[in-house]
Structures are given as structure tokens and as C-alpha cells.
Amino acid sequence: METSFHMSLPCLSVKETKSFYTSIGASLGRMTQSWVDINLFGHQITFIKAGKFNFNNPNYVFEGKILPSFHFGVIVDLETWNGVYSKLKLRELELVDQTTFLKGNTGEHISFFVKDPNDYMLEFKNFKNSSDVFESK
């Protein structure tokens, strides 16, 4: 059985959150004026209007690239990855550009990060070999 994840996060604006996520190919689920369920490629993220919030976003370095340690993401097929990346490159958003990680090794994947309207960093990944998602060697 294939399973999906669910995550619930505070948001600043339900309207802006809905607009951002639908613009990258996600769809809307149940919603009220104070929260919305987003179908992010088969995974449920609930954004709840909670006003101003604060968290620390330390970074880390992986293969010479500075990456956000606090982030969430989705692994998608290459066609979806290219489509979302192309859409976001046209917009003026905080985007950590396309990078290939673990090139030539188990787990090779392309990845990019984008900041959503709530200041969350969202990662999109595509693995060269989908069977490598959890492989360590």
C-alpha cells in the first residue's frame, strides 16, 4: 500500500498560501477561512492561519552548497519537477537554484528549494534512479 504524509503548519495568509500552492500544481482540499488542506502531489499539508510566528532557520552545507536545514519537500517525477521549476523561475521568488547532488553515486538527484508565502522552504527532488530514495550505498 502506498502511503502519504500529513503535516500541519501555521500560515500568515490562507489566501496567499492557496494561490502559491495552486500555481505550482498542487490542488485544494477541505478549507475554511482559517485553514486549508493542500494536496501536494498526493500528500496533505494543512495550513492554519496563526498570525505572526517565529522560528530559526539555520543552514548547512552539502557538497559545497548552502541549504536550509528547516524545510520540507516532495519527490516527483522528472516531468513534474521540470514543470514546477520552469514556472517558478519565471516568478520573482526566493529560489535556491537547481543542483545535482551525489552525482555519479547512489542517491543522485536534482533538487531546488523555493520559499513559500509563509517563509517555509519547500524542496522539490527528482532521483535519477527512483529505487535510490532510501539507499545508502
Side-chain angles (χ1 to χ4, degrees):
M1 178 176 134
E2 189 173 321
T3 60
S4 300
F5 73 79
H6 162 75
M7 182 183 321
S8 181
L9 299 168
C11 75
L12 299 173
S13 165
V14 171
K15 181 180 176 182
E16 286 182 34
T17 300
K18 290 189 312 188
S19 176
F20 174 81
Y21 282 92
T22 56
S23 77
I24 60 171
S27 61
L28 302 177
R30 299 169 299 151
M31 68 186 90
T32 69
Q33 289 184 348
S34 60
W35 61 268
V36 61
D37 283 340
I38 301 290
N39 176 349
L40 185 63
F41 302 98
H43 304 284
Q44 183 190 56
I45 304 175
T46 301
F47 287 98
I48 302 166
K49 182 155 176 63
K52 193 73 174 158
F53 54 93
N54 187 14
F55 55 90
N56 189 4
N57 288 346
N59 295 319
Y60 71 104
V61 177
F62 182 62
E63 294 189 345
K65 190 84 167 173
I66 297 173
L67 302 173
S69 60
F70 182 79
H71 67 274
F72 65 97
V74 63
I75 300 167
V76 294
D77 62 71
L78 188 57
E79 182 179 346
T80 301
W81 192 96
N82 282 323
V84 173
Y85 185 74
S86 295
K87 286 178 190 176
L88 290 172
K89 284 295 283 186
L90 298 174
R91 299 172 62 186
E92 292 185 20
L93 298 170
E94 185 174 330
L95 188 68
V96 178
D97 219 1
Q98 169 184 340
T99 303
T100 300
F101 292 105
L102 301 171
K103 191 169 183 77
N105 295 306
T106 300
E108 180 177 335
H109 63 279
I110 54 175
S111 182
F112 73 89
F113 293 82
V114 62
K115 187 173 274 195
D116 84 355
N118 304 296
D119 288 335
Y120 294 118
M121 292 302 286
L122 174 60
E123 179 180 18
F124 285 84
K125 286 184 175 187
N126 172 264
F127 281 81
K128 183 176 180 180
N129 297 309
S130 60
S131 62
D132 285 354
V133 171
F134 294 107
E135 292 298 319
S136 61
K137 286 192 179 207

